[in-house]
Amino acid sequence: MLEEYIQKGIVEEKTLLDLLREGNEQVPQKTALIDPYRRVRYAELMHEALQCAAVFQENGLVEGDHMLLLMNNRIEFFSCLFGMMFLGVRPVLMLPSHRRKEIETIFEFSDAKGIVTYGNELGFDYVQTALEVTAEHGRVFAYEKREGVNYLPELLGHASEPILAEVKGQDIALFLLSGGTTGIPKMIPKRHSAYVYNAIYSAKRCVTDETSVYLAALSVAHDYPLSCPGVLGTMARKGTSVLSMTASFDEVAMHIAQEHVTFTQIAPSLAAMWLECMEWEEDVDVSTLQYIEIGAAKLEWDLAERLENAFGAKIIQGYGLGEGITCFTSIDDTREVAWTCQGKPISEYDEIKIVDEIGKEVPQGEAGELIEKGPYTFEGYYHAEELNRQLFSEDGFFHTGDKAILTDEGNIRVIGRVREQINRAGENVIPSEVEAYLKGCEEISDAAVFGIADAELGEKVCAVLIAKGEELTLLQVCEKLSEAGMAAYKLPDVIYYVDHFPLINVGKVDKKKLKQDLNIIGER
């Protein structure tokens, strides 16, 4: 599919490495990246990436290998990312919130040769976990010195010049992760040319240019802050990106004031938290912010109004998938459009349809599933042939699983999910995955998990349990799931107990009736 767009001249056969090379050639002394500890120019980032490539090569990594990249928002994330790409090694981008079980599952599923990480950060020992996961096969590269670790700061000082791979535009650049990661993982291959296209056209829609200073408040292992337009889109326009270690308001406000940040990307739940903090803070300078991109969950009108008034920045609302389509409203859209819609696809070659349960296109303005195809839409999950057959139509449209309508002006308005999924503060939680963990607790006989509306998080994770004996408290349940290796964002926010579950005629739990029986309603 990508080859056809290249042959037609729609997509340029370009690699993500070209974005770095162009920055190094055209603006070598301009600041490319800033994190809480240091800053690097484009030329310095290029040098560091080549050093990393040399170290990886000297330690046995070769073209086609897969490596887990498990790191917080640091300059080293990009040094290692580009370093692997220079060799044709494919990074698998793990989220900093992932824990032992997710890391172990993805490591085995991806046939990774090892893990690249930083150290003990934000209360979690990434290096020790990486050592345990790779104990039998694989290697660990880290910026913290430990026994059994390839200690990067020491190795980089003695690195020789690497032999670079002939990386092509249609090659896989990296893997993103989608949805649940402890059942059958869904790894998204992102090809160089397609991902460059996504970054460039996102940057154009979001008026990113060489004067832009982007603040990555969310993890850059996500597609949204990485390339929509994120760091890579900003780099494509020769701008500067600031990497925040956390999304806490104290840290991001400091970055905005010190680095004169012009735009950032957040989810509505985070916007609400920032607004609450602003009410208590004095002399907060956010005057350089020109616009704020909002995505990953529904934006309420009241929140949008408060956000624009407090920050004095225009809202650009967006919608996108690591698998493909990216949409944004435009900087000159009215409030009615920007606050209630997710905009239009970034490319004129994106094709979208809204269809019913049997795949028939519905009249404009009616709700149905959004399906799409285009120049940067992926061609299927890694090692998931059966799933891919289910998700693509005969004419190549990808079924997003999102319920949407198309407005008279051609804007997409996403109104929910066709398939079951919880959107908690912008993170996707698969109910069946949490249920599997809960059923693994010896005190729990059965479990049903679903989302309930919440004013701050968008949706809370609600677990309804059948106990074998004594009922566990919410804290005890969360402690057991954490000990089992579940990521914190998937933990239940609230639990209920029942003696039995209502069932529908196919023997499945009737979650709709369960909510009604328990009178479970959310907050808005």
Side-chain angles (χ1 to χ4, degrees):
M1 191 181 295
L2 175 60
E3 185 179 3
E4 293 176 13
Y5 288 106
I6 291 174
Q7 289 176 348
K8 291 176 181 176
I10 295 169
V11 175
E12 186 179 0
E13 190 156 8
K14 200 170 185 178
T15 72
L16 293 172
L17 293 168
D18 291 329
L19 302 184
L20 179 58
R21 289 191 178 104
E22 289 167 3
N24 177 54
E25 293 166 3
Q26 297 171 23
V27 287
Q29 298 309 309
K30 184 170 183 180
T31 300
L33 299 174
I34 301 167
D35 71 14
Y37 307 101
R38 64 192 185 105
R39 59 185 62 216
V40 292
R41 300 180 177 94
Y42 277 92
E44 292 168 329
L45 181 59
M46 179 76 171
H47 176 69
E48 288 188 17
L50 289 171
Q51 280 188 309
C52 286
V55 169
F56 295 145
Q57 191 169 69
E58 289 164 5
N59 284 274
L61 296 188
V62 298
E63 186 173 0
D65 282 348
H66 296 167
M67 288 288 288
L68 268 56
L69 180 55
L70 176 61
M71 207 177 291
N72 288 298
N73 285 9
R74 286 180 167 276
I75 289 169
E76 288 81 2
F77 177 99
F78 289 94
S79 302
C80 293
L81 181 79
F82 285 119
M84 284 186 264
M85 287 183 191
F86 272 124
L87 302 179
V89 174
R90 302 160 175 175
V92 181
L93 305 191
M94 302 296 296
L95 301 180
S97 55
H98 283 150
R99 293 298 178 256
R100 169 64 185 264
K101 188 64 177 174
E102 286 97 350
I103 297 165
E104 188 172 53
T105 301
I106 296 296
F107 180 77
E108 292 175 358
F109 181 78
S110 66
D111 299 315
K113 301 296 184 182
I115 300 175
V116 182
T117 189
Y118 196 87
N120 189 331
E121 291 187 297
L122 302 177
F124 185 69
D125 195 337
Y126 292 101
V127 173
Q128 183 59 36
T129 303
L131 286 168
E132 291 170 3
V133 168
T134 61
E136 294 185 12
H137 52 91
R139 64 210 77 177
V140 176
F141 294 87
Y143 287 83
E144 188 172 308
K145 196 166 190 177
R146 303 270 188 95
E147 186 177 348
V149 163
N150 291 289
Y151 180 48
L152 282 167
E154 190 170 84
L155 296 172
L156 291 169
H158 305 287
S160 57
E161 190 171 333
I163 300 171
L164 305 184
E166 294 182 16
V167 181
K168 300 179 178 63
Q170 295 187 55
D171 292 344
I172 294 173
L174 54 86
F175 290 96
L176 299 172
L177 299 180
S178 174
T181 52
T182 57
I184 299 176
K186 291 191 291 185
M187 288 173 48
I188 305 169
K190 302 302 291 186
R191 299 187 184 276
H192 278 280
S193 291
Y195 216 30
V196 169
Y197 187 98
N198 186 88
I200 289 174
Y201 279 80
S202 291
K204 287 180 179 178
R205 176 65 59 82
C206 296
V207 293
T208 308
D209 61 24
E210 70 280 359
T211 68
S212 295
V213 180
Y214 166 62
L215 173 65
L218 306 172
S219 168
V220 291
H222 274 296
D223 177 56
Y224 184 31
L226 179 63
S227 190
C228 300
V231 175
L232 296 178
T234 303
M235 187 172 289
R237 308 294 273 186
K238 313 300 181 295
T240 298
S241 295
V242 182
L243 310 176
S244 184
M245 284 287 284
T246 72
S248 70
F249 184 72
D250 286 347
E251 183 178 354
V252 299
M254 175 190 70
H255 290 312
I256 292 170
Q258 290 183 356
E259 307 300 343
H260 307 295
V261 170
T262 61
F263 80 104
T264 190
Q265 296 168 296
I266 54 177
S269 57
L270 188 56
M273 292 182 216
W274 286 6
L275 284 169
E276 190 174 333
C277 291
M278 282 194 77
E279 293 175 1
W280 295 94
E281 298 283 345
E282 294 182 3
D283 302 322
V284 177
D285 183 8
V286 293
S287 59
T288 58
L289 273 181
Q290 296 170 9
Y291 62 95
I292 298 173
E293 290 176 25
I294 296 280
K298 186 181 182 200
L299 176 65
E300 300 291 349
W301 185 277
D302 177 65
L303 179 61
E305 188 169 41
R306 289 169 54 215
L307 190 65
E308 273 205 359
N309 290 340
F311 282 83
K314 179 88 174 177
I315 287 175
I316 294 178
Q317 193 170 176
Y319 160 79
L321 303 168
E323 290 86 347
I325 194 165
T326 302
C327 303
F328 285 108
T329 58
S330 297
I331 196 73
D332 54 356
D333 277 335
T334 64
R335 284 184 167 188
E336 179 65 34
V337 170
W339 295 3
T340 65
C341 299
Q342 282 69 51
K344 298 174 182 176
I346 56 173
S347 170
E348 63 180 299
Y349 299 101
D350 281 317
E351 298 177 57
I352 58 173
K353 295 180 183 178
I354 309 294
V355 300
D356 61 17
E357 295 85 351
I358 60 172
K360 182 181 178 183
E361 201 163 356
V362 302
Q364 190 158 354
E366 289 191 14
E369 183 181 10
L370 172 65
I371 64 173
E372 59 86 16
K373 67 177 179 179
Y376 52 96
T377 296
F378 84 144
E379 295 165 34
Y381 295 109
Y382 176 74
H383 282 180
E385 289 76 11
E386 181 58 36
L387 177 61
N388 293 333
R389 278 193 288 272
Q390 297 170 17
L391 291 177
F392 284 90
S393 66
E394 291 184 1
D395 52 353
F397 280 80
F398 173 66
H399 285 258
T400 68
D402 287 316
K403 188 181 290 185
I405 64 172
L406 196 62
T407 69
D408 292 340
E409 297 82 15
N411 288 295
I412 290 172
R413 182 176 293 143
V414 178
I415 57 177
R417 289 286 295 173
V418 173
R419 293 183 286 273
E420 194 177 31
Q421 186 167 289
I422 301 167
N423 189 325
R424 185 188 186 280
E427 297 282 7
N428 292 327
V429 180
I430 308 300
S432 59
E433 182 182 351
V434 184
E435 288 166 354
Y437 270 95
L438 289 165
K439 292 172 186 177
C441 297
E442 59 182 18
E443 298 88 351
I444 297 172
S445 174
D446 206 349
V449 174
F450 46 79
I452 55 176
D454 181 75
E456 293 185 355
L457 298 173
E459 284 187 289
K460 290 192 292 192
V461 178
C462 176
V464 182
L465 311 174
I466 298 176
K468 289 181 180 178
E470 185 177 347
E471 296 179 356
L472 298 174
T473 65
L474 175 62
L475 179 60
Q476 289 172 325
V477 168
C478 291
E479 285 176 346
K480 284 183 175 290
L481 298 186
S482 295
E483 289 169 5
M486 176 178 273
Y489 70 87
K490 302 176 185 177
L491 298 175
D493 297 293
V494 60
I495 61 172
Y496 294 86
Y497 282 93
V498 295
D499 294 327
H500 66 277
F501 290 142
L503 303 176
I504 52 179
N505 57 5
V506 291
K508 298 174 74 172
V509 177
D510 188 341
K511 294 183 180 180
K512 183 176 181 180
K513 189 172 189 308
L514 191 57
K515 288 183 186 182
Q516 293 171 345
D517 291 347
L518 292 169
N519 194 29
I520 297 174
I521 59 174
E523 304 174 29
R524 282 292 186 194

